[in-house]
Amino acid sequence: MYKKFFKRLLDVVLSFVGAVVLIPVFLIIGIAIYIDDPGPIFFKQKRIMKNKQTFWLHKFRSMKVKTPDVPTHLLTNPERYITRVGKILRKTSLDELPQVYDILFGKMSIIGPRPALWNQNDLIAERDKYGANNVRPGLTGWAQINGRDELPIDVKAKLDGEYIEKMSFWFDVKCFFGTIISVLKSDGVVEGGTSEINKEKEENAI
């Protein structure tokens, strides 16, 4: 009953409340972004949703307007493209706040596997093994509080599969509060993501 009905009901109620309550925060962040680097306030990116359909995920823009249109982990020295405000947004995960609207309109859930990039075939294939592509992706999830960017693809997909198996109201509550703790501690956040982690390991091994 929770998976089929109450989970979506909670998503709608909480995302609607969040969308209303956060309006002043959105205004403040939007003004700060524009002053720091004039241009669009929001950034959208093609991601994978339930049943491997695609959708546009929304974030606050944290990178300079002239940044090449490629995933962060494919940029050479991504740090130089991130704005001053963007660094704060990323560190605190405030850049993810616009996704409350993606949740409200049924593209995402509050808790679930983080949506893969549309061309992130390795992660999508790994998630297929665990049925993790058959649920709505989440704003945060089990993998996010167990390593985030530091996780290799196979481990991340396995944790997503573990979430599918244990999905329940109380497990979602655990993920929610675990996320708050992880954000406050900035656990597992690395610019460039998993690919940058692997690159660093390779360089250290030489």
Side-chain angles (χ1 to χ4, degrees), residues 8-23 99-105 110:
R8 179 58 191 153
L9 179 61
L10 281 173
D11 283 342
V12 171
V13 172
L14 294 177
S15 61
F16 178 77
V17 172
V20 174
V21 171
L22 291 171
I23 288 176
Q99 288 160 51
V100 296
Y101 293 99
D102 294 327
I103 295 169
L104 182 61
F105 293 116
I110 294 174

Side-chain angles (χ1 to χ4, degrees), residues 121-160:
N121 297 319
D122 48 358
L123 178 57
I124 296 169
E126 282 293 318
R127 283 178 170 172
D128 268 336
K129 299 177 182 179
Y130 304 100
N133 291 315
N134 301 327
V135 299
R136 284 189 180 89
L139 177 64
T140 186
W142 187 231
Q144 276 57 56
I145 63 175
N146 282 284
R148 204 168 172 176
D149 294 335
E150 294 179 346
L151 297 173
I153 294 297
D154 57 336
V155 176
K156 186 180 295 185
K158 188 174 182 179
L159 286 167
D160 289 334

Side-chain angles (χ1 to χ4, degrees), residues 131-199:
N133 291 315
N134 301 327
V135 299
R136 284 189 180 89
L139 177 64
T140 186
W142 187 231
Q144 276 57 56
I145 63 175
N146 282 284
R148 204 168 172 176
D149 294 335
E150 294 179 346
L151 297 173
I153 294 297
D154 57 336
V155 176
K156 186 180 295 185
K158 188 174 182 179
L159 286 167
D160 289 334
E162 187 178 339
Y163 170 75
I164 302 303
E165 292 179 4
K166 296 181 178 180
M167 189 190 302
S168 66
F169 173 74
W170 291 112
F171 198 61
D172 278 2
V173 170
K174 182 176 182 178
C175 290
F176 181 82
F177 285 103
T179 297
I180 294 175
I181 294 172
S182 293
V183 169
L184 292 175
K185 295 169 62 178
S186 296
D187 283 347
V189 181
V190 177
E191 293 305 338
T194 303
S195 296
E196 191 65 25
I197 288 285
N198 292 335
K199 180 181 176 182

